[in-house]
Amino acid sequence: MTTGWDSVPSPYVQLSRDAWRGLRESTPLPLTPGELDALRGLKDPIDIAEVEEVYLPLSRLLNLFFLSDGRLRDTVSGFLGGGVEPTPFIIGIAGSVAAGKSTISRLLRTLLARWPEHPTVELVTTDSFLYPNAVLSERGIMDRKGFPESYDRRALVRFVSSIKSGAEEASIPVYSHLEYDIVPGAAQTVRRPDILIVEGLNVLQAPPPGALGVSDFFDFSIYVDARVEDIRQWYIDRLFALRRTAFTNPRSYFHKYASELDEDETAAFAQRVWRDVNEINLVSNILPTRARATLVLHKDRDHAVQRVRLRRI
């Protein structure tokens, strides 16, 4: 296992967990086990040791990037004779369904907000830019929800561009995982944060020729990686956990899987959705964007990060 800088020339630094853990240095742990419980996603086994060994070093690195970005802005402002105003530092987080990127996003939002240099950290997910189910049904792509064509990508780019341009505030739709749809009339308002985290399946996709993509506005990007067969099992385990929890709510879009199907039928459903939807999206659209990330977190079967790949600057 790699323990530091690779001997073979590469645009990336490959680090083992042990080597990465040592980069925490004196970064304090600003999180209690109870707070971590509130941030953890369903069936995500992340614990305080994982926070200390993986996410505190990452928090430190992101803080260094944030401070460096400010110094560069001041340098450019001096070159121009002033007038360059601060704008949010934007972090993109990508990865498959069930890879744990939502937990990581919430965790990093909390850790970064507790550094003294940036008290305001906002998190948005690209779920807010999914077309409503009615539109997906009309276009015949309801079974491709989560694929690039199921998002209003122009609206997403406009939003991130507006935030990066220093807009005082910008509002976006709200997505309900319970109802599996955009909530009519609801909005999330983002007001000029120090840091904006944008989390989603396809946020690292390259734009069409001649156009801008959302990743063009990222100052740092993270890809949450794991073996396809491990993610498949995590997805199935999570669906069964949802069947015992959220799906029992009569308002849930998937309520019938808790009330009408037995375990064998639920397992068959989970296998089919993974095979026909999520794995195709992962292999065709999401995984190919991994090489575009600034940093890749490689998870093992138990969800623990064992390797980190960081692009050389």
Side-chain angles (χ1 to χ4, degrees):
M1 180 175 287
T2 306
T3 57
W5 296 85
D6 281 346
S7 58
V8 178
S10 166
Y12 299 97
V13 181
Q14 301 274 2
L15 297 127
S16 69
R17 183 184 177 107
D18 287 343
W20 179 255
R21 175 175 54 202
L23 300 176
R24 170 188 174 181
E25 292 196 349
S26 59
T27 305
L29 175 64
L31 194 72
T32 67
E35 289 174 314
L36 178 58
D37 286 342
L39 298 172
R40 186 188 292 116
L42 195 64
K43 298 297 290 182
D44 193 327
I46 187 171
D47 57 16
I48 283 293
E50 187 83 355
V51 174
E52 291 179 322
E53 296 180 6
V54 175
Y55 298 102
L56 286 185
L58 179 53
S59 169
R60 176 173 175 247
L61 178 64
L62 289 169
N63 187 58
L64 291 172
F65 266 78
F66 174 84
L67 296 176
S68 177
D69 185 69
R71 289 192 292 269
L72 177 59
R73 181 182 60 247
D74 291 343
T75 299
V76 173
S77 185
F79 171 75
L80 295 174
V84 178
E85 295 295 325
T87 58
F89 185 84
I90 302 183
I91 302 168
I93 300 182
S96 172
V97 167
K101 64 187 181 303
S102 296
T103 294
I104 292 169
S105 299
R106 291 190 294 267
L107 175 60
L108 287 176
R109 175 182 59 186
T110 300
L111 294 177
L112 290 170
R114 295 179 182 180
W115 282 88
E117 294 86 0
H118 33 80
T120 59
V121 183
E122 292 276 5
L123 168 63
V124 301
T125 74
T126 56
D127 289 342
S128 294
F129 295 90
L130 283 163
Y131 288 114
N133 288 351
V135 174
L136 297 177
S137 296
E138 180 183 332
R139 297 183 180 183
I141 56 172
M142 189 65 185
D143 60 347
R144 292 178 69 80
K145 196 168 189 176
F147 283 65
E149 63 267 29
S150 66
Y151 295 91
D152 188 342
R153 286 174 283 183
R154 291 182 180 177
L156 174 59
V157 169
R158 284 197 302 269
F159 163 72
V160 178
S161 173
S162 175
I163 291 294
K164 193 63 176 174
S165 299
E168 288 299 322
E169 64 176 44
S171 295
I172 62 175
V174 172
Y175 183 81
S176 168
H177 287 277
L178 182 67
E179 299 176 10
Y180 198 59
D181 203 355
I182 297 294
V183 180
Q188 174 186 354
T189 300
V190 177
R191 294 184 174 88
R192 202 176 172 86
D194 295 305
I195 295 177
L196 175 67
I197 298 173
V198 181
E199 177 253 308
L201 300 172
N202 294 294
V203 294
L204 293 180
Q205 277 214 323
L212 285 173
V214 63
S215 62
D216 290 312
F217 298 95
F218 293 164
D219 298 290
F220 195 98
S221 56
I222 299 166
Y223 186 94
V224 184
D225 191 32
R227 290 180 288 269
V228 173
E229 57 269 27
D230 291 338
I231 302 174
R232 168 186 168 276
Q233 190 59 53
W234 298 342
Y235 171 78
I236 293 170
D237 291 344
R238 189 178 71 176
L239 189 139
F240 269 91
L242 287 168
R243 181 174 179 266
R244 297 188 297 269
T245 53
F247 291 177
T248 62
N249 188 325
R251 290 178 50 225
S252 171
Y253 181 86
F254 295 102
H255 179 61
K256 69 177 182 179
Y257 297 106
S259 61
E260 299 177 15
L261 302 186
D262 61 26
E263 290 206 358
D264 289 341
E265 291 170 321
T266 301
F269 167 76
Q271 296 274 5
R272 184 173 65 254
V273 172
W274 175 260
R275 182 189 66 241
D276 297 344
V277 180
N278 293 321
E279 185 171 1
I280 293 173
N281 196 19
L282 171 58
V283 174
S284 300
N285 299 310
I286 303 168
L287 191 55
T289 71
R290 180 177 58 189
R292 306 188 74 235
T294 314
L295 181 140
V296 179
L297 297 171
H298 297 275
K299 285 187 169 188
D300 214 339
R301 181 173 299 178
D302 61 357
H303 267 278
V305 173
Q306 295 299 337
R307 291 181 293 119
V308 177
R309 186 178 75 179
L310 175 65
R311 185 182 297 163
R312 298 177 192 267
I313 305 304

